Amino acid sequence: MNLWLELLVALTVAGSAVVVCMLLLRLVSAGAIPATWHYVMGKVALISYLLPAAFVIQWLPFYWREPLASANLTHLGTWAEITSGLRAAEPITTEWMNPEQTISAAFASAMLSLWGLGAVIYAAWHVYAYIRFIRRLHTTSFPLPQDSEAARLLSSSKIALGIRSKVRLACNSEIESPVLVGLLKPTILIPIGHRPGIDLGMVIHHELIHLKRKDLWVKMFSLGASSIHWFNPFVHVLRKDIHVWSELSCDEEVVRGMSHAERKRYGETILNVVEGSSGVPVRFCASLSGSGKQLKRRLTMLLKVKKLKKHTVLLTAAAVMAIGAIGTSTAAWASKNIPQVEAGAGQPPMAESVSMNNNKEEFVENVKVAAPDLLAKGNSFETRLIAVSPSDESKFTPEEWKNILAQIERGEVYWEDSEEFKEMKDKVMNGELTWGEALGYKSE
């Protein structure tokens, strides 16, 4: 249970930290950063909400781990050496924990249940809305003939952009502005009738850029993040932000290389498309249309798009990497400072409920036993290593691992996948034995 809470808190804190950095950077930069890079930052924030980077990085081969201090691994000898003079039947306790840093199992269970219920409701509603939207478009659409002007423009734009996948083209009687829909079967829908002042070639080019960049998938992942973190207002800010910067960055890519007259023509196309757009759920599709509030901003930005200078690219890339690093480090901090879940009544004492200390990561999961009277001896924690797996080697210094291997040969430490250790652990979990009894300790 504590692992799920730790993971959820780490993800939501990491993503929120990145979003806050994005908003602050936007105030400081005042338009100096191109829309494309703002969109990249939005993707970084989205990844922070979905991928537990702080958990993944610590398992990479190049990740540096602080060697275990001798005070934290004082003994790797026999159980009798460590518990001499103690009662084997005395249960492992967590009294050394700060009471303010623990929450009851009942409260943790209630929080997880509430979160799960909210996530399911949020996700179910959007799945229902998406299916209804797609079905409505399917019943009101019909394909365009291959010899139509739109089909020829689609073919030429695909060649120019290097798109080889199949893209369907259809007319729809309900929409008033062109849209791109379909994750697996992308389709560009064009409203029936030709609205004056709209350059169809530019519209199709715009939608194909969305397709090439997988923007519909980005939107779907943003909805997934919103479902998981439905309680977090920053994730909803991010979802709207991703839509805005998706359109602005797409505009940048369309007009890059255009003359001033062509950019004005593209701006007129946006004006006429926005005028006829209404009721399109932008969270499920990509469209040249958008909010009227963003119209002036879009028109101003597309006229100012120019080739980026080298120092601008370097500074922006550095800002993106710094924001990502802040999110990862914040997640690591959050995962280490989340309150521990107290053991429930009747739960057999297990080593996983005892961590080394509040500032040191647990070095082996499910394999430590601590002697109660030694837990707070001189501000150090004495532990007894029971079992390891080959993958645990990276968690120890070479000298410590060599010592552990010697103990395995002497039968004082076990391999986790050995039948002997599995049988021992099952007996402790079932309450048949204490760890002390399982390891052969006998009280004096």
Side-chain angles (χ1 to χ4, degrees), residues 22 24-38 41 245 252 256 297 301 304-317 319:
M22 285 171 48
L24 292 176
L25 184 62
R26 193 177 307 166
L27 293 176
V28 175
S29 63
I33 299 178
T36 300
W37 284 96
H38 279 291
M41 292 181 197
W245 291 113
E252 276 189 351
R256 188 171 284 116
R297 185 182 188 184
M301 290 185 68
K304 293 182 178 179
V305 173
K306 56 185 178 180
K307 186 177 180 180
L308 296 178
K309 296 180 179 179
K310 186 176 181 180
H311 72 274
T312 303
V313 175
L314 292 176
L315 289 175
T316 307

Side-chain angles (χ1 to χ4, degrees), residues 197 199 202 255 258-272 299 302-304:
D199 189 316
M202 290 183 174
V255 303
M258 283 186 177
S259 65
H260 185 74
E262 289 173 324
R263 294 186 184 193
K264 287 184 65 177
R265 175 64 175 165
Y266 182 70
E268 292 172 359
T269 297
I270 293 178
L271 281 171
N272 287 292
L299 297 176
L302 67 89
L303 292 175
K304 293 182 178 179

Side-chain angles (χ1 to χ4, degrees), residues 5 17 87 180 266 270 350 363-365 416 424:
L5 279 177
R87 298 187 306 276
L180 171 68
Y266 182 70
I270 293 178
M350 283 296 295
F363 64 96
V364 179
E365 185 180 3
E416 281 189 76
M424 180 192 305

